[in-house]
Amino acid sequence: MFTKILVAIDRSPMGKQVFEQALALAKVTGANLMLLHVLSAEEDGSPYAPLLSNFDYYPGVGSQSFEHYQKQWDNFKNEGIQLLQSLCAQANTSGINAEFTQQVGSPGRLISQLAANWGADLIVMGRRGRSGLKELFLGSVSNYVLHHAPCSVHVVYLSSRVPQAEEVVQEPASVNQ
């Protein structure tokens, strides 16, 4: 029986599916939820840090670029908090005790550390589906967590799209004679 479920959320379509599965598990088990969003350059939509190497030649350009980046980063942080607040409210409305946190750093390490510090029984997270060279060079957050988590890990795969009614191909019925 689970009493504390850590839910690793991002802004992808996978993030919503991860939350929905964690919420369903919490409803069945009566567990509390901790929603975690990790601010990381790895997440889709994160702002790119400006390259500051040659800005010594152009005074003012470096500071303008950094100010622009800082505004983008602040928006990125605020959007993450808004997402967490919305999901937390949805869980609370469903009768599930939920709280949230947003942290900056390496997603795999932070997920594993928070699970240990909070005393999670289960981690629910998504998988991007990297494989081969991409996974070798970019790493896999889910793989890291599977090997370093202090508790069970439930990895959610993005379900394949269900075809719409008009996309379903009807085969002609065969007539037996």
Side-chain angles (χ1 to χ4, degrees), residues 10-54:
D10 67 9
R11 296 171 224 222
S12 71
M14 171 72 68
K16 182 163 179 54
Q17 198 167 355
V18 167
F19 172 74
E20 288 171 357
Q21 286 198 22
L23 184 60
L25 280 169
K27 285 179 181 177
V28 170
T29 63
N32 295 325
L33 296 179
M34 171 64 76
L35 308 178
L36 168 65
H37 179 246
V38 178
L39 293 169
S40 165
E42 297 173 30
E43 184 176 1
D44 292 338
S46 68
Y48 294 104
L51 299 174
L52 300 174
S53 61
N54 292 327

Side-chain angles (χ1 to χ4, degrees), residues 36-143:
L36 168 65
H37 179 246
V38 178
L39 293 169
S40 165
E42 297 173 30
E43 184 176 1
D44 292 338
S46 68
Y48 294 104
L51 299 174
L52 300 174
S53 61
N54 292 327
F55 285 129
D56 293 339
Y57 297 115
Y58 306 102
V61 173
S63 63
Q64 287 175 350
S65 181
F66 183 75
E67 287 172 15
H68 179 70
Y69 168 76
Q70 190 61 47
K71 285 179 186 176
Q72 288 180 321
W73 184 257
D74 289 343
N75 287 338
F76 185 64
K77 283 184 357 185
N78 291 336
E79 289 170 6
I81 292 293
Q82 289 172 359
L83 172 67
L84 289 168
Q85 287 173 335
S86 171
L87 295 176
C88 195
Q90 185 178 338
N92 290 329
T93 301
S94 298
I96 301 301
N97 184 25
E99 54 188 309
F100 66 86
T101 183
Q102 179 168 265
Q103 299 178 17
V104 178
S106 169
R109 284 192 201 105
L110 287 173
I111 293 166
S112 298
Q113 287 172 354
L114 182 58
N117 294 340
W118 187 60
D121 304 311
L122 177 68
I123 298 170
V124 179
M125 63 184 301
R127 182 175 188 280
R128 281 193 188 157
R130 288 185 183 139
S131 61
L133 290 176
K134 276 189 177 180
E135 184 173 0
L136 178 66
F137 289 112
L138 299 175
S140 166
V141 174
S142 57
N143 189 38

